[in-house]
Amino acid sequence: MKTRWFVVVALVIVTGLLLSACAQPAPQVQIVKETVIVEATKIVEKVVEATTIVEITSTPAPDRVQITWYIGLGAGAQPAQIPLEKDFVEKFNKSQNEIQLIPIIVDNKYARDNLTAQIAAGNAPDVVGPVGTAGRAAFPGAFLDIEPLIKEANYDTSDIDPAFLQFYKDEGKLVGLPFAIFPEFVYYNQALFDEAKLAYPPQKYGAKYTLDGKEVDWNFDTVAEVAKRLTVDAQGNDATQAGFDAKNIVQYGYITQWSEHPRATGSLFGAFYPVDSSGNGSIPDTTVAAWKWYYDSMWGKQPFQPNQAAIDSDLLKGNAFSSGKVAMATTHLWYTCCIDKATVPSWNVAVMPSYNGKVTSKMHGDTFAILGGTKHPKEAFKVYTYMLTTGSADLYKIYGGLPARKSQQTDFFASLDEKFAPVKANWQVALDSIPFMDVPNHELGTPNYAKTFDLFSSLGSDFRSNPDLKFDERIATFKSELDKVLKEKP
């Protein structure tokens, strides 16, 4: 059996998908815990020590070229997405008789290390995605320059804004064509606002918010005040009232939904890049101010955002806004993937708040990329172009991205309306947020990227989990560590 037919992942939930995806002919599947037998023994054994391993084998179709599709480096590993990805793979495989597409789905928490191991073992997949700037940044030089394939296939890119073609260039190489963009904005639970008798957040940039009969700026101070009134303890007291019990919160006012990495939270008050022109660490005051606002939202005297323990609790179950127990969330368009209509039956979207009069809407831009080590670049590109054209509507339903091609945007929003009916969100908010994208982007690669990313992640963990953090000292230590890591060899 060839190594290519081993797919090693860290999620038991993917088993069903892969079983079904490779159903013709029937696959031979073996589930192994703590022990795995593969040709790339050394690399895989490191993974076995960290988590449960699922080993999946499949039988190749002898008359087809096998192209593996690696999912999880960005979006795609959420349970709700997996059945839809299964449908997509089956649809593609039935659409032609040249290529057998095989998905590999890995929990995002393990995907970077897992893909690193597969590349090191010479067993890299062919197509990766959807993947954003941050995901690609962890693999500098690993992706194929697809411009020669575009020219050879005479693939039409005239409907793509040239600015987005530049957005997807890494080190001067076009490693992907724009698939989807994900501006950031506010999701809000209408029922919780109605219950608190509070006005909904504004849906036009520059519009005021009405609070206590007065018009006020829609900024992060206003968000904090509104969020406190929407944060309620078990006795029904909100966070602004005497007797509020911060240890028994049953409803929260706000969360940075699945965008809690410090490079993201630090950009709430304005874009920043953590490296200056001389290669030194650079953390501006606005970033520190955003981090302090974020930290106090969880651990201040009137908390209004769940900390890590609360996010993981039975109340919020890891998907806070979708639990129906959080009133507002700032996050990206991709979050339409994961809102439960049963727990949040009435919701809408609003514009991002400002800081010192300036609005920042962080941007994510996903694409699919072909790894440079593929043995079948032409066949991989055929899969790739199917994903961006014939199959794109199915993928947009899975990943919730706004098509970069303007001709596909109307159909995309219509599909969201159909998915969430009778909810009809104001999607103009998403389009209006694009001009406020963060430049430089918060996912841009840095020197010694993996260590720098982990250093930021450790800081974020402290923010979310340490109520006794000596904030100023921690920031000073972080700055010193960042400077050191940036100058180390990877």
Side-chain angles (χ1 to χ4, degrees):
M1 187 171 292
K2 296 180 179 179
T3 304
R4 175 166 292 280
W5 297 104
F6 286 93
V7 180
V8 182
V9 296
L11 271 182
V12 176
I13 58 175
V14 306
T15 308
L17 168 60
L18 291 173
L19 287 174
S20 300
C22 306
Q24 298 297 331
Q28 296 177 353
V29 178
Q30 181 182 10
I31 299 176
V32 181
K33 294 183 178 181
E34 303 300 328
T35 302
V36 61
I37 302 171
V38 296
E39 291 182 21
T41 305
K42 182 177 180 179
I43 298 299
V44 172
E45 282 181 347
K46 290 177 66 178
V47 181
V48 170
E49 293 173 0
T51 184
T52 300
I53 296 298
V54 178
E55 177 192 340
I56 298 170
T57 63
S58 117
T59 302
D63 57 340
R64 295 194 180 201
V65 174
Q66 283 73 46
I67 296 297
T68 47
W69 172 23
Y70 193 89
I71 305 169
L73 193 59
Q78 289 296 317
Q81 296 172 315
I82 292 174
L84 301 176
E85 289 161 340
K86 164 191 167 184
D87 292 343
F88 178 88
V89 168
E90 291 181 345
K91 196 171 184 178
F92 173 79
N93 286 335
K94 290 178 180 177
S95 72
Q96 44 73 55
N97 55 16
E98 178 189 6
I99 298 167
Q100 181 184 19
L101 182 60
I102 299 173
I104 306 172
I105 303 180
V106 183
D107 189 320
N108 179 260
K109 291 183 291 186
Y110 308 108
R112 188 183 73 187
D113 291 341
N114 180 270
L115 183 57
T116 299
Q118 292 203 40
I119 293 173
N123 193 32
D126 299 290
V127 178
V128 177
V131 58
T133 306
R136 298 196 311 274
F139 299 92
F143 296 107
L144 194 69
D145 183 352
I146 62 172
E147 282 199 296
L149 292 170
I150 291 173
K151 292 179 181 177
E152 183 177 346
N154 197 26
Y155 184 75
D156 183 11
T157 61
S158 61
D159 191 27
I160 302 173
D161 188 328
F164 283 119
L165 292 178
Q166 292 298 318
F167 185 84
Y168 290 99
K169 280 192 174 181
D170 291 348
E171 300 175 335
K173 297 190 306 182
L174 183 64
V175 298
L177 290 170
F179 166 67
I181 54 177
F182 304 88
E184 180 187 37
F185 44 82
V186 177
Y187 293 77
Y188 63 92
N189 185 321
Q190 292 184 162
L192 300 186
F193 273 79
D194 290 343
E195 184 179 21
K197 295 180 171 51
L198 288 167
Y200 298 147
Q203 295 185 313
K204 289 186 177 180
Y205 283 102
K208 300 287 186 179
Y209 181 75
T210 302
L211 183 64
D212 299 331
K214 299 179 181 178
E215 289 193 337
V216 298
D217 290 337
W218 180 241
N219 57 30
F220 278 94
D221 289 338
T222 302
V223 168
E225 176 60 28
V226 173
K228 290 173 185 175
R229 300 188 189 191
L230 289 161
T231 299
V232 181
D233 68 15
Q235 300 302 313
N237 299 312
D238 71 50
T240 68
Q241 294 177 313
F244 173 72
D245 184 358
K247 294 183 179 179
N248 288 288
I249 297 174
V250 297
Q251 175 183 301
Y252 290 87
Y254 169 83
I255 189 168
T256 51
Q257 178 77 42
W258 293 344
S259 54
E260 67 274 9
H261 191 272
R263 286 190 65 183
T265 56
S267 297
L268 288 171
F269 288 7
F272 79 103
Y273 184 65
V275 189
D276 68 17
S277 58
S278 299
N280 302 309
S282 176
I283 304 297
D285 292 343
T286 51
T287 300
V288 176
W291 286 341
K292 187 67 168 64
W293 184 92
Y294 174 72
Y295 183 76
D296 288 345
S297 72
M298 294 176 282
W299 304 109
K301 293 181 180 178
Q302 298 174 321
F304 54 85
Q305 175 162 202
N307 56 46
Q308 190 62 58
I311 292 171
D312 296 336
S313 69
D314 289 341
L315 179 71
L316 304 182
K317 295 181 173 60
N319 187 355
F321 184 79
S322 187
S323 71
K325 302 297 182 183
V326 176
M328 290 183 287
T330 51
T331 189
H332 296 260
L333 182 58
W334 44 249
Y335 187 60
T336 54
C337 71
C338 302
I339 300 174
D340 189 334
K341 293 167 61 175
T343 51
V344 193
S346 60
W347 58 274
N348 211 322
V349 296
V351 299
M352 286 294 291
S354 64
Y355 175 74
N356 285 344
K358 183 178 180 180
V359 174
T360 303
S361 167
K362 301 192 305 295
M363 179 65 75
H364 286 172
D366 274 4
T367 187
F368 297 90
I370 300 173
L371 278 169
T374 180
K375 297 177 182 176
H376 307 287
K378 291 183 179 179
E379 289 80 5
F381 190 68
K382 288 183 178 179
V383 172
Y384 191 95
T385 54
Y386 178 89
M387 290 174 160
L388 298 184
T389 54
T390 306
S392 63
D394 293 328
L395 293 179
Y396 288 129
K397 290 179 182 177
I398 301 173
Y399 304 122
L402 175 62
R405 291 176 182 269
K406 294 180 180 178
S407 60
Q408 298 174 335
Q409 291 178 353
T410 299
D411 288 344
F412 166 72
F413 286 127
S415 72
L416 286 183
D417 289 340
E418 179 181 358
K419 175 181 178 180
F420 291 107
V423 168
K424 190 172 179 62
N426 183 356
W427 298 119
Q428 187 61 40
V429 168
L431 295 173
D432 291 347
S433 297
I434 294 174
F436 299 100
M437 72 172 74
D438 55 329
V439 180
N441 187 265
H442 63 288
E443 293 188 326
L444 276 179
T446 64
N448 205 2
Y449 178 78
K451 287 187 177 179
T452 303
F453 183 90
D454 290 344
L455 190 66
F456 273 97
S457 296
S458 177
L459 179 68
S461 179
D462 283 349
F463 286 162
R464 295 189 302 278
S465 302
N466 187 352
D468 301 316
L469 189 69
K470 295 181 179 178
F471 186 86
D472 293 339
E473 292 181 16
R474 182 66 180 92
I475 296 301
T477 300
F478 170 77
K479 287 180 176 178
S480 176
E481 293 172 338
L482 175 64
D483 211 45
K484 181 180 178 182
V485 166
L486 288 172
K487 294 169 182 172
E488 286 180 354
K489 291 184 179 180

